[in-house]
Amino acid sequence: MKEELKQLEKEALDKITSADSLKEVNEVRVAYLGKKGPITEVLRGMGKLSAEERPVMGALANEVRESIASAISEKNEALEQAEIAKKLEEQAIDVTLPGSPVKLGARHPLTIVTEELEDLFISMGYTVEEGPEVETDYYNFEALNLPKEHPARDMQDSFYITADTLLRTQTSPIQVRTLEKHKGKGPVKIICPGKVYRRDNDDATHSHQFNQIEGLVVDKNISMSDLKGTLELFAKKMFGEDREIRLRPSFFPFTEPSVEVDVSCFKCGGKGCSVCKQTGWIEVLGAGMVHPNVLEMSGFDSNEYQGFAFGMGQERIAMLKYGIDDIRHFYTNDIRFLSQFKQA
Ligand code: PHE
């Protein structure tokens, strides 16, 4: 019986040693330690033993059971550790691998131009004002010296919402709103960027929605030379230090006198080329001295205060600066177009 038990122990321990899964180990446990296992079987035969042999055999049987049980738990432990080690290895993250690149967008060219203009004018002491895109007829036209039925209203075909409200056709209504806020007291020194809307058919140079930036300075002793100096600085900063400007008489109902402002061609330096259509000059904005009627209607004494105003389109500036030949590129979000404006 003793040999039998020893033999069983050896067998079981061998099987445990050679098992390589938790499942196999468990099979050994069931086979050798279970109620129907061979050890139990051997112990059943204890009845035949003498009274002296019985406790000795019982102790031996327990030893064998314990030895098998502890071999099982050691083996289980080892297998579990191996399993964990394997998982760790399989799921290991190589932190030295390069990451997948995050695709960075580019700023929109209109944003670049708008921010450049804002930076320039802010550096000259201007503040930025905004106004509503759905505007009243009063602010968009009447208070800008364009009474109802004034023929100059046709210069800007409008999207009317009601008889009295429309999508603003220009950023000039922000001039009026700001002047009203100042209650007849200068100085006023603002730029107003924003979207404007006109009933135009879209083509390479027209869009029913575009962007403008307005400038307004109102104070005592403001003259046309202040306007000219400001525009000269603008031309040099936006188009290059060698640029010159040229003022041509023009008409806007809210300025008198009014001018169209040309910048000497940045491509050919004024000799004449395709960009400036052989003239040496490129038209970039409209400007003028604020009409006394506009000042008076917004509560300023036009004997005491004068002002100048200018307005330009960011699309036009961007098209000139970046050589863009179709205004529709700004609005169609073609990634091939937009990604060209990535900045270092
Ligand atoms: N608002 C004018 C336009 O849209 C531009 C302008 C602004 C002209 C200010 C003169 C002074 O055409």
Side-chain angles (χ1 to χ4, degrees), residues 30-86:
V30 172
Y32 286 85
L33 302 181
K35 283 216 174 63
K36 289 173 191 148
I39 298 177
T40 318
E41 194 65 26
V42 170
L43 291 177
R44 269 202 200 113
M46 289 234 292
K48 291 178 206 137
L49 296 176
S50 66
E52 301 90 73
E53 272 181 318
R54 229 177 274 162
V56 178
M57 230 17 98
L60 179 64
N62 279 337
E63 253 171 55
V64 168
R65 280 173 160 278
E66 261 157 45
S67 133
I68 296 173
S70 84
I72 287 174
S73 77
E74 261 169 49
K75 183 72 186 189
N76 279 346
E77 176 83 355
L79 285 172
E80 271 161 22
Q81 288 302 330
E83 184 73 4
I84 290 170
K86 193 170 149 228

Side-chain angles (χ1 to χ4, degrees), residues 246-258:
R246 176 175 86 169
L247 306 184
R248 283 180 292 113
S250 183
F251 172 78
F252 298 103
F254 33 86
T255 48
E256 181 59 36
S258 301

